[in-house]
Amino acid sequence: MWDLGPIALTHIKTNELNFASVRGHTRRDPLDHWAVTLVLRGTTETSISSRSFRGGAGVVQVHPLGGSFEGSVTDSEMLILFVPRDFCQEVARVLGAIEFSTIDTGMGQLLSDFLLGLAKRLANLEVTDLGNLAAATKAMILACASPTADRIQEAEEPISMVLLQRARRLLQRKLFDADFRIDGVARELGVSRTRLYRLFEPYGGVAHYLQRRRLIDAHAVLADPCDQRRIVDIAEQRCFTDGAEFSRAFRREFGYTPSDVRTGIHGGLPNRPATDLAANKPEERFGLLLRKLHG
């Protein structure tokens, strides 16, 4: 469990079980936070007096802890974000309107990805980051649970981070797909080509980013002494039309040839110039670090 100041996040693994709110306990210890739950594995079913709903992997659910409910979970893994009612009046209104339901929409999927990214980054965050984290979480809940133009604009930065992470995962799966087109990324993300370009502008655009990932992947294969395929075959697998084109792009990227790697002259990726992250504003450092890692 992570104490994030005004909110808290838990990562839970559980065997199959039943659960229920206990009225007597609620009266003695009246915690009435919302539990915003993302199931990573398994399924849950919740029943209240008037209806029931199910939640599967990748779908966000909203439960008020002070409400009356019961249900069951299969063998499961989940993230639960606990949001107190006094966290923000606007968030309270939005979650109150959708409690005991799922956010099974496109914007809800962005919230799912945001929570996943949040859990992965928490171990490296400092206490001084918690204010910005709470603000980003508030903006994402409002934009994804009850989207309006103003709320989506306010959540622009965390939404862009989620979209970039999703796009990078997609591009990684397309390293060997010669028929892949940039328009396919925009369609799968549900964004315009202009928005997609802005996401990848720090990397020189989508095409440049994809080519760099293909070259890095080729570099790793060429440095592997157990893989003795011809250089041209490695290049073609990564969608380069001929060996000469691959060699030129490889030299531009790394400053030496594929043959240099194959013969052991260069066995590792070159070091990038050091970036003084401490010289930048705290809210800018994470983005700068990502850009430094990817050139």
Side-chain angles (χ1 to χ4, degrees):
M1 185 172 90
W2 294 271
D3 177 1
L4 306 178
I7 53 179
L9 183 72
T10 61
H11 182 189
I12 296 172
K13 294 181 181 178
T14 179
N15 295 328
E16 180 180 355
L17 55 80
N18 297 323
F19 60 84
S21 61
V22 181
R23 286 187 176 277
H25 179 76
T26 301
R27 287 195 295 270
R28 292 191 304 272
D29 191 8
L31 291 176
D32 194 19
H33 308 322
W34 281 287
V36 180
T37 302
L38 170 61
V39 177
L40 306 176
R41 174 176 53 83
T43 59
T44 71
E45 183 165 0
T46 303
S47 297
I48 58 177
S49 60
S50 59
R51 59 188 172 83
S52 63
F53 68 93
R54 292 176 60 86
V59 178
V60 173
Q61 310 168 42
V62 180
H63 294 78
L65 296 185
S68 178
F69 58 90
E70 60 182 23
S72 62
V73 298
T74 64
D75 185 82
S76 299
E77 181 178 1
M78 61 191 74
L79 296 172
I80 303 180
L81 180 71
F82 292 100
V83 182
R85 289 187 179 267
D86 60 359
F87 173 59
C88 166
Q89 288 186 355
E90 192 176 10
V91 169
R93 287 194 297 271
V94 166
L95 292 182
I98 62 170
E99 60 188 25
F100 291 126
S101 69
T102 61
I103 312 176
D104 195 6
T105 62
M107 293 299 292
Q109 186 59 55
L110 286 181
L111 183 57
S112 299
D113 288 350
F114 174 80
L115 293 174
L116 282 171
L118 175 62
K120 291 177 181 177
R121 297 196 305 272
L122 283 178
N124 299 317
L125 292 182
E126 302 291 341
V127 173
T128 53
D129 298 323
L130 295 184
N132 290 332
L133 177 62
T137 303
K138 167 192 166 184
M140 286 297 291
I141 290 173
L142 292 173
C144 297
S146 182
T148 65
D150 289 343
R151 288 171 177 168
I152 292 173
Q153 180 62 38
E154 185 175 347
E156 173 65 24
E157 185 174 345
I159 287 175
S160 292
M161 183 178 294
V162 167
L163 288 173
L164 179 59
Q165 292 169 343
R166 190 183 291 179
R168 288 169 60 183
R169 289 196 300 268
L170 173 60
L171 291 172
Q172 188 66 28
R173 297 197 302 268
K174 301 297 183 180
L175 293 185
F176 303 153
D177 185 354
D179 297 325
F180 178 68
R181 297 293 180 267
I182 302 303
D183 285 344
V185 184
R187 283 196 302 272
E188 185 152 337
L189 294 180
V191 300
S192 66
R193 282 182 62 97
T194 301
R195 176 72 183 277
L196 183 65
Y197 179 80
R198 285 201 302 268
L199 290 174
F200 282 89
E201 192 171 8
Y203 309 99
V206 185
H208 182 269
Y209 176 87
L210 180 58
Q211 183 181 81
R212 174 164 168 76
R213 299 311 305 170
R214 285 169 169 164
L215 289 170
I216 289 174
D217 190 75
H219 195 295
V221 173
L222 290 166
D224 182 358
C226 297
D227 193 324
Q228 292 300 312
R229 285 177 293 166
R230 296 186 307 162
I231 292 176
V232 67
D233 293 334
I234 294 171
E236 288 177 354
Q237 186 183 34
R238 285 149 188 82
C239 308
F240 289 89
T241 56
D242 60 63
E245 178 205 5
F246 173 69
S247 293
R248 287 193 297 270
F250 196 96
R251 181 185 283 277
R252 283 196 303 270
E253 187 64 42
F254 302 118
Y256 45 83
T257 68
S259 296
D260 290 337
V261 180
R262 171 57 58 81
T263 58
I265 296 176
H266 288 282
L269 292 174
N271 292 326
R272 293 286 170 181
T275 299
D276 184 7
L277 297 178
N280 295 274
K281 296 178 181 178
E283 63 269 24
E284 296 174 350
R285 292 173 189 169
F286 185 69
L288 290 170
L289 177 60
L290 289 181
R291 294 184 184 96
K292 178 178 77 72
L293 292 176
H294 289 281

